[in-house]
C-alpha cells in the first residue's frame, strides 16, 4: 500500500505502481483502479495538463510526453495536414480528445485524432459526445518507450476505424474489422492510400537533417507528383 504523488500533484492511495525508464515518454501504471476513480482523476486534473490517460480493465496508464515524443507527434500531424490539403480532404483535428465508453469501462487520450470522412457530421462542433457523435476516423499513437497497455481494445470499444502506431522505428496501420471489432494490420492506410508507410520514419529522420519546413515542402512536392502521374 503506497501513497504516491502523481503528475500535477494528484495523490492516489492504495495502488500498486510500475514506472518505466523516462526516454521519449514517462509512464506510470496504476492497477486496481475503479472507473469512478479514473473519471474523478480526469475531472480533478482538468484539460490543461500535459499527461495523457488510458484506462482498461482496472489498469490506468498515465503518460507524460517528453521531447522526442511530442516532436514526432507534431511532425506526423504536419504530414497528415499536408496529405489532407493536397488531396482536398476536409480535416477536423481534436488532438488528445478523451475517447471513452462508460458502459465498457474503457477510455484513452490519443496523441492525435482526426475527423475526415465523418468531418461533415462534426464540422460545427467544438465538443464531441460519443453517445451521439461518431468516433474520430483516425487516431495516432506514439509509443517510443514500450507501453504496458495495448490501447487497441479501447479504441475498438469506441469504434475508431483506423489507428496509426509509431514506435520510433516504423509506422504500423491497423484497421477495425467487423463483425469481431478487432484490429488487423494493413500495409496501406485506407484514409491515405497514396502514402507509402515506409516514408514516414524516413521523413522524420530527414527533418532532423534538413529541417521540418524543407522536409514538408519536399513531401508536398512528392504528393503532387504522384497525383499528376495518376491523372496522366
Amino acid at each position: 500500500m503506497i501513497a504516491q504523488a502523481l503528475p500535477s500533484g494528484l495523490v492516489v492511495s492504495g495502488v500498486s505502481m510500475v514506472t518505466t525508464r523516462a526516454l521519449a515518454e514517462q509512464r506510470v501504471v496504476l492497477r486496481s483502479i475503479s472507473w469512478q476513480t479514473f473519471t474523478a482523476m480526469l475531472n480533478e486534473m482538468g484539460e490543461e495538463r500535459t499527461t495523457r490517460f488510458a484506462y482498461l480493465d482496472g489498469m490506468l496508464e498515465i503518460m507524460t510526453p517528453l521531447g522526442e515524443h511530442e516532436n514526432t507527434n507534431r511532425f506526423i500531424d504536419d504530414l497528415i495536414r499536408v496529405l489532407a490539403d493536397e488531396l482536398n480532404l476536409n480535416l477536423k483535428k481534436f488532438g488528445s480528445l478523451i475517447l471513452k465508453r462508460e458502459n465498457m469501462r474503457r477510455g484513452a487520450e490519443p496523441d492525435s485524432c482526426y475527423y475526415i470522412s465523418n468531418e461533415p457530421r462534426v464540422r460545427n462542433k467544438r465538443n464531441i459526445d460519443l453517445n451521439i457523435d461518431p468516433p474520430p476516423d483516425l487516431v495516432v499513437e506514439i509509443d517510443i518507450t514500450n507501453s504496458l497497455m495495448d490501447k487497441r481494445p479501447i479504441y475498438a470499444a469506441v469504434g475508431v476505424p483506423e489507428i496509426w502506431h509509431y514506435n520510433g522505428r516504423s509506422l504500423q496501420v491497423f484497421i477495425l474489422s467487423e463483425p469481431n471489432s478487432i484490429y488487423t494490420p494493413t500495409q496501406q492506410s485506407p484514409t491515405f492510400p497514396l502514402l507509402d508507410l515506409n516514408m514516414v520514419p524516413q521523413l522524420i529522420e530527414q527533418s532532423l537533417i534538413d529541417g521540418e519546413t524543407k522536409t514538408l515542402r519536399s513531401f508536398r512536392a512528392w504528393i503532387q507528383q504522384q497525383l499528376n502521374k495518376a491523372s496522366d
Side-chain angles (χ1 to χ4, degrees):
M1 303 285 285
I2 60 174
Q4 176 67 39
L6 299 176
S8 299
L10 184 66
V11 175
V12 177
S13 300
V15 298
S16 63
M17 180 192 299
V18 178
T19 60
T20 63
R21 179 183 172 189
L23 293 171
E25 306 100 3
Q26 186 176 37
R27 301 180 189 276
V28 175
V29 174
L30 308 176
R31 304 181 187 276
S32 302
I33 300 295
S34 69
W35 177 261
Q36 291 74 19
T37 298
F38 165 59
T39 55
M41 292 171 70
L42 284 175
N43 292 333
E44 183 170 344
M45 296 180 74
E47 297 181 357
E48 300 303 319
R49 57 189 161 78
T50 58
T51 52
R52 293 174 193 146
F53 285 14
Y55 181 90
L56 176 65
D57 298 333
M59 178 186 291
L60 173 63
E61 179 184 82
I62 306 173
M63 187 275 290
T64 303
L66 302 179
E68 182 181 356
H69 180 113
E70 278 297 80
N71 179 244
T72 301
N73 179 40
R74 297 301 178 93
F75 187 72
I76 291 177
D77 176 72
D78 284 338
L79 295 177
I80 290 172
R81 293 183 192 212
V82 171
L83 278 163
D85 185 33
E86 290 300 323
L87 295 172
N88 197 29
L89 297 173
N90 266 329
L91 190 72
K92 194 170 183 72
K93 304 170 291 295
F94 270 98
S96 296
L97 175 72
I98 179 68
L99 305 175
K100 59 188 173 119
R101 186 58 58 84
E102 184 173 0
N103 62 338
M104 293 186 179
R105 299 295 193 264
R106 296 178 180 185
E109 295 172 308
D111 287 297
S112 299
C113 67
Y114 307 87
Y115 285 92
I116 305 166
S117 64
N118 278 318
E119 183 273 342
R121 297 176 61 185
V122 298
R123 182 175 299 172
N124 65 340
K125 296 193 173 186
R126 296 291 179 86
N127 297 293
I128 297 296
D129 180 355
L130 292 179
N131 292 314
I132 57 175
D133 297 319
D137 297 294
L138 173 63
V139 154
V140 174
E141 281 285 343
I142 313 294
D143 285 321
I144 298 175
T145 57
N146 291 334
S147 173
L148 296 178
M149 180 185 293
D150 182 357
K151 300 183 184 69
R152 285 175 292 182
I154 302 174
Y155 295 129
V158 176
V160 174
E162 182 175 352
I163 299 173
W164 287 16
H165 181 267
Y166 183 74
N167 64 6
R169 301 176 302 278
S170 62
L171 176 70
Q172 285 186 294
V173 173
F174 298 91
I175 56 174
L176 190 63
S177 301
E178 299 294 347
N180 298 322
S181 293
I182 60 173
Y183 285 101
T184 57
T186 179
Q187 298 301 312
Q188 190 178 58
S189 166
T191 305
F192 301 111
L194 179 71
L195 178 67
D196 179 351
L197 302 186
N198 294 321
M199 288 185 66
V200 174
Q202 295 171 6
L203 289 164
I204 291 170
E205 290 302 313
Q206 195 64 37
S207 73
L208 300 176
I209 300 170
D210 292 339
E212 295 182 12
T213 299
K214 183 177 180 180
T215 303
L216 291 168
R217 190 180 296 121
S218 297
F219 180 56
R220 185 181 293 274
W222 178 85
I223 297 171
Q224 293 171 351
Q225 183 182 50
Q226 302 309 304
L227 293 174
N228 289 335
K229 287 181 181 179
S231 63
D232 289 342

